[in-house]
Amino acid sequence: MSLKQRCHVPSVDLTLDYGRMGADDAFFARLEPLLAKAYPAMAALEKGAIANPDENRRVGHYWLRAPKLAPDGLGAAIEKSVADIKRFAAENRARFPEVLVVGIGGSALGPQLVADALGDPRHIHFLDNTDPDGVARVLGSLDLAKTLTIVISKSGGTPETRNGMLLAKAAGVDFAKRGVAVTMPGSSLDKEAQGWLARFPMFDWIGGRTSELSVVGLLPAAMQGVDVDALLAGAAACDEATRRPVTAENPAALMALMWHHAASKTMVVLPYKDRLLLFSRYLQQLIMESLGKDGHGLAVYGNKGSTDQHAYVQQLRDGTNDFFATFIRVLEDGGAPLEVEPGVTAGDYLHGFLLGTRAALAEKGRASMMITVRRVDARTMGALIALFERAVGYYASLIGVNAYHQPGVEAGKKAAAKILELQKKLLAGGKPAPEEVEHAELILEHLAANKRGTP
């Protein structure tokens, strides 16, 4: 069955093998009508339809790698942003051997993925939380005089990013000489960054989890010498293949169908390549923030092969059957071709572990699919990002959710704001309301641990 249930995309040398997911002809016959509705919905999205009604916004991440598709003259702005990024990187890479990115969510996860896969992670650093201890550890390891600091926030008001920026400034970052802002024109960060080394505009129609191929991800990548043109070209080629309304030839549509077939099971991402270690973290936001709504969702976790075999594969094979696996197979080994035993290299072992784990799971009736790529390079990374972005869009259409807003995230932010208002009240000598007593006790415990207290 697996030999028949394969989809190959020659333009990016990517193959999806979904033969071990257990979908039969009856399943395809039942779901194809739903998918037939998803194709025109995706076409309307690419033409500029309102996709985020909560904020009355279009969603245009597909235009980033195909500017000619962008409506209303936006293509020229996209092309200018890429040209500006490449020019800035060419002029400043030698000056700044270290890069510090201050951002959270999509402003960190995408750049972290690409840095680990394609760049040199020893020379790019991230402040992606509001943990003062974590911030101090990162800043303490840097020569700030040789570091370019990139602050990324669409609104400029994201608390974690703002706090990271303030702590970096207090530690000695000279933003006028070595600071770059990536934000919406007119935002609080845009105003703060007047006089910084550079400012790059973010597009309102790009959400955080689909921003890696915008200035958000391309600027840090270019500063590391990553081929941003190849990233965009790989994504464009994958987009071209995955917008085709021929399901058997569309790997993103097939992935969406397999996710639907797996029902509420968890997806375990198993890339057999160290460079793809962070792929599961990146996919957690892309998939779970997009699809986790209205009682639906697809949980994602993962590590890397063959490390996973010494951790949780035991449960995958012999524990609860509540998941499906997505293996990522990379054909070219890279590294040293040394034979560790006659006729066998370290890469042969890695490939053997992948195929062996896949077979061991199949023996116990565990579902899996496998994505095969030639190598991990910029073109491949662009294609993988685009593949999963499109699959998320198709799957959202199948289950009837809006993939492009995040009401749960906003609810958490509002709740946190209330906590901080309560803390201010307590510090001013006020008393908590009855429903605030539990939170008040926890706030006071935290303040006391840090030798801060109420008057």
Side-chain angles (χ1 to χ4, degrees), residues 178-213:
R178 293 179 282 274
V180 176
V182 179
T183 187
M184 287 278 293
S187 73
S188 59
L189 176 58
D190 187 50
K191 296 171 184 175
E192 171 85 15
Q194 301 288 331
W196 286 17
L197 180 63
R199 288 174 294 144
F200 288 87
M202 292 179 76
F203 299 122
D204 181 61
W205 35 267
I206 295 295
R209 56 190 175 276
T210 55
S211 65
E212 173 53 26
L213 299 181

Side-chain angles (χ1 to χ4, degrees), residues 170-444:
V173 172
D174 187 342
F175 285 99
K177 295 180 179 178
R178 293 179 282 274
V180 176
V182 179
T183 187
M184 287 278 293
S187 73
S188 59
L189 176 58
D190 187 50
K191 296 171 184 175
E192 171 85 15
Q194 301 288 331
W196 286 17
L197 180 63
R199 288 174 294 144
F200 288 87
M202 292 179 76
F203 299 122
D204 181 61
W205 35 267
I206 295 295
R209 56 190 175 276
T210 55
S211 65
E212 173 53 26
L213 299 181
S214 72
V215 64
V216 168
L218 295 183
L219 178 58
M223 286 299 298
Q224 297 169 81
V226 174
D227 187 345
V228 297
D229 289 328
L231 271 171
L232 294 168
C238 191
D239 282 345
E240 183 64 30
T242 57
R243 69 168 58 95
R244 296 187 60 210
V246 181
T247 301
E249 301 174 5
N250 187 326
L254 289 165
M255 281 176 58
L257 286 174
M258 294 305 101
W259 295 353
H260 197 286
H261 182 265
S264 60
K265 291 186 175 181
T266 294
M267 178 167 71
V268 183
V269 182
L270 302 174
Y272 276 68
K273 199 67 173 176
D274 285 2
R275 289 180 181 272
L276 296 177
L277 168 65
L278 299 182
F279 199 37
S280 60
R281 284 188 64 199
Y282 170 78
L283 291 178
Q284 280 177 341
Q285 186 193 20
L286 175 64
I287 293 172
M288 297 175 72
E289 193 170 271
S290 298
L291 302 176
K293 299 155 193 171
D294 302 330
H296 296 283
L298 176 60
V300 180
Y301 71 87
N303 191 6
K304 65 177 181 180
S306 63
T307 300
D308 55 89
Q309 290 181 225
H310 299 268
Y312 52 76
V313 165
Q314 170 63 44
Q315 177 168 315
L316 298 187
R317 187 177 188 274
D318 297 327
T320 54
N321 189 5
D322 57 357
F323 73 95
F324 67 95
T326 298
F327 291 94
I328 303 179
R329 174 174 172 248
V330 181
L331 294 178
E332 294 183 4
D333 293 335
L338 177 72
E339 291 188 355
V340 294
E341 58 187 69
V344 181
T345 67
D348 295 334
Y349 262 106
L350 186 64
H351 189 244
F353 285 139
L354 186 161
L355 298 182
T357 301
R358 183 169 171 259
L361 294 182
E363 286 173 0
K364 298 299 290 282
R366 273 48 172 167
S368 71
M369 55 182 149
M370 184 168 68
I371 298 168
T372 298
V373 295
R374 176 71 50 185
R375 64 185 68 87
V376 178
D377 59 11
R379 186 176 176 87
T380 298
M381 286 307 305
L384 286 172
I385 289 169
L387 174 67
F388 279 88
E389 284 179 349
R390 185 82 62 165
V392 163
Y394 285 140
Y395 186 63
S397 292
L398 292 178
I399 61 176
V401 304
N402 179 353
Y404 306 108
H405 67 163
Q406 49 280 337
V409 175
E410 297 306 316
K413 291 179 181 178
K414 292 175 182 177
K418 291 181 180 179
I419 296 295
L420 293 173
E421 286 300 318
L422 174 58
Q423 177 171 309
K424 292 175 183 177
K425 181 170 76 171
L426 295 174
L427 288 170
K431 294 184 178 180
E435 67 274 11
E436 296 175 328
V437 169
E438 180 187 10
H439 281 148
E441 291 176 349
L442 296 173
I443 290 168
L444 293 172

Side-chain angles (χ1 to χ4, degrees), residues 155-168:
S155 68
T158 306
E160 297 93 336
T161 303
R162 179 179 176 275
N163 294 352
M165 179 186 71
L166 293 175
L167 290 171

Side-chain angles (χ1 to χ4, degrees), residues 1-82:
M1 179 179 287
S2 63
L3 290 176
K4 293 181 180 179
Q5 293 192 347
R6 287 184 178 177
C7 176
H8 181 62
V9 182
S11 60
V12 289
D13 207 358
L14 180 150
T15 301
L16 173 69
D17 183 334
Y18 55 100
R20 299 194 180 195
M21 286 298 291
D24 56 19
D25 291 344
F27 168 79
F28 284 102
R30 180 168 58 86
L31 268 290
E32 188 69 34
L34 284 179
L35 193 57
K37 296 179 181 178
Y39 291 127
M42 184 66 71
L45 184 82
E46 289 192 310
K47 290 179 180 177
I50 296 297
N52 184 345
D54 291 356
E55 301 174 23
N56 195 36
R57 282 212 314 252
R58 297 178 290 190
V59 173
H61 49 278
Y62 298 111
W63 308 333
L64 296 170
R65 49 266 197 171
K68 291 182 173 56
L69 295 179
D72 305 331
L74 294 174
I78 296 170
E79 292 173 341
K80 183 179 184 303
S81 72
V82 175

Side-chain angles (χ1 to χ4, degrees), residues 102 146 302 365:
V102 184
K146 297 179 180 179

